[in-house]
């Protein structure tokens, strides 16, 4: 069975000081593979990207994207890199999208607005960048913002973009999130940190909106992959639904075989 972890972060070293475990390129892949993950997707996210002066990101984001692409060259098909962009720098962001789209990159994110000094996504600047992403039919993964901002972005983002919000229902927002899934055809959620923690939540989601709009994700190495996979395995849903969430939906939206 294929398991695509839709939400990981390469370069992630946030917890190195706390638990002292160095997650290098070798361990990153072997940890995921030991748990049965066959492919993973996401942005390059080192601790150094957090809470810098906003002016820094014009130069720093291209460096992060270059690192993600380097990592993709190392891992081959195992890793689908996600780009960073920044609404304070529309021109740079569009340049990055165009550059990497030409190299075959299909994904933006996970974007983590709160780390990089912006709040809402339903802004003129962010939507300008999304117009550019739309011409490449990008898949865009974003960390949750406020309920009002999420709804506004869902309503205004070009329909040719597949918008995947991270962290399904993770903050007691089940009804709000299933509402967005029901209302907007091009909107999805990933189950990373902590969308599958409560027993029965995935079954409830499948009953509410079907299994086609959820993507399995962990947030590894922020979260260990084993418990999320175990949680998904014991949910009382059909194997066809489980396969949709584990891999089929990701394959469909990313155009994978
Ligand atoms: Zn994340």
């Amino acid at each position: 069975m294929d398991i695509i972890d839709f939400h990981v972060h390469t370069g992630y070293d946030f917890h190195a000081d706390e638990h002292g475990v160095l997650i290098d390129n070798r361990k990153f892949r072997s940890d995921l593979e030991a748990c049965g993950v066959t492919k993973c997707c996401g942005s390059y996210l080192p601790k150094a990207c957090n809470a810098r002066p906003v002016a820094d990101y014009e130069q720093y984001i291209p460096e992060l994207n270059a690192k993600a692409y380097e990592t993709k060259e190392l891992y081959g098909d195992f890793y689908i890199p996600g780009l960073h962009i920044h609404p304070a720098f529309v021109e740079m962001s569009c340049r990055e999208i165009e550059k990497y789209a030409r190299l075959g990159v299909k994904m933006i994110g996970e974007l983590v607005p709160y780390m990089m000094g912006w709040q809402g996504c339903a802004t003129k600047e962010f939507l300008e960048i999304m117009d550019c992403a739309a011409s490449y039919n990008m898949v865009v993964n974003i960390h949750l913002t406020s309920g009002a901002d999420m709804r506004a972005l869902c309503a205004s983002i070009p329909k040719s973009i597949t918008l995947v919000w991270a962290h399904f229902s993770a903050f007691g927002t089940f009804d709000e999130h299933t509402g967005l899934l029901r209302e907007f055809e091009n909107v999805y959620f990933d189950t990373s940190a902590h969308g599958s923690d409560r027993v029965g939540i995935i079954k409830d989601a499948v009953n509410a909106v079907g299994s086609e709009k959820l993507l399995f994700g962990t947030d590894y190495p922020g979260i260990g992959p084993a418990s999320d996979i175990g949680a998904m395995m014991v949910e009382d849903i059909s194997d066809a639904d489980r396969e949709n969430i584990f891999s089929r939906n990701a394959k469909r939206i990313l155009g994978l075989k």
Side-chain angles (χ1 to χ4, degrees):
M1 178 177 60
D2 283 337
I3 298 179
I4 299 178
D5 187 338
F6 186 79
H7 187 139
V8 301
H9 295 292
T10 47
Y12 192 94
D13 56 359
F14 281 78
H15 300 320
D17 296 341
E18 279 171 36
H19 55 47
V21 178
L22 174 67
I23 315 260
D24 59 12
N25 286 328
R26 191 200 55 76
K27 185 169 169 56
F28 181 91
R29 181 171 187 156
S30 66
D31 277 7
L32 290 169
E33 285 183 335
C35 294
V37 171
T38 48
K39 201 184 281 293
C40 62
C41 317
S43 57
Y44 194 91
L45 198 76
K47 194 162 69 174
C49 79
N50 189 29
R52 297 167 79 109
V54 168
D56 273 19
Y57 290 108
E58 185 166 24
Q59 210 186 336
Y60 189 54
I61 278 179
E63 289 174 28
L64 293 173
N65 292 339
K67 284 285 200 185
Y69 194 74
E70 234 174 70
T71 312
K72 192 252 171 317
E73 289 189 307
L74 177 78
Y75 286 145
D77 287 346
F78 182 71
Y79 169 55
I80 294 177
L83 301 174
H84 284 291
I85 53 99
H86 198 298
F89 306 103
V90 173
E91 218 184 292
M92 175 276 286
S93 298
C94 292
R95 221 173 30 236
E96 287 293 290
I97 291 169
E98 279 156 17
K99 172 180 170 182
Y100 286 101
R102 259 183 249 120
L103 294 169
V105 173
K106 303 166 179 173
M107 185 169 161
I108 295 172
E110 185 200 8
L111 299 174
V112 207
Y114 72 93
M115 282 189 191
M116 296 194 181
W118 94 84
Q119 303 298 322
C121 294
T123 62
K124 181 177 150 290
E125 292 77 14
F126 190 81
L127 285 166
E128 260 181 77
I129 298 169
M130 290 301 103
D131 276 342
C132 170
S135 49
Y136 300 100
N137 298 312
M138 288 267 171
V139 173
V140 182
N141 184 215
I142 314 177
H143 186 91
L144 305 179
T145 57
S146 71
D149 181 65
M150 289 171 71
R151 172 160 288 279
L153 184 67
C154 288
S156 50
I157 198 167
K159 298 296 175 217
S160 59
I161 286 184
T162 302
L163 171 59
V164 185
W165 291 107
H167 315 303
F168 172 70
S169 191
F171 305 98
T173 38
F174 182 91
D175 290 343
E176 205 175 301
H177 292 178
T178 48
L180 295 177
L181 290 174
R182 228 180 266 122
E183 196 172 331
F184 299 100
E185 207 179 315
N186 60 328
V187 171
Y188 292 67
F189 267 89
D190 78 43
T191 62
S192 69
H194 301 268
S196 57
D197 283 4
R198 177 173 69 69
V199 176
I201 194 154
I202 297 299
K203 181 183 183 181
D204 289 348
V206 170
N207 286 343
V209 293
S211 59
E212 285 81 14
K213 306 293 285 296
L214 294 172
L215 302 163
F216 174 75
T218 60
D219 223 345
Y220 177 79
I223 302 283
S227 52
D228 282 358
I229 290 171
M232 203 61 77
M233 294 302 289
V234 302
E235 280 285 325
D236 185 17
I237 56 176
S238 72
D239 285 344
D241 286 332
R242 207 180 324 276
E243 197 178 342
N244 280 345
I245 298 167
F246 264 146
S247 64
R248 259 207 222 118
N249 298 337
K251 286 180 187 173
R252 188 178 64 251
I253 66 172
L254 289 164
L256 307 171
K257 295 255 157 52

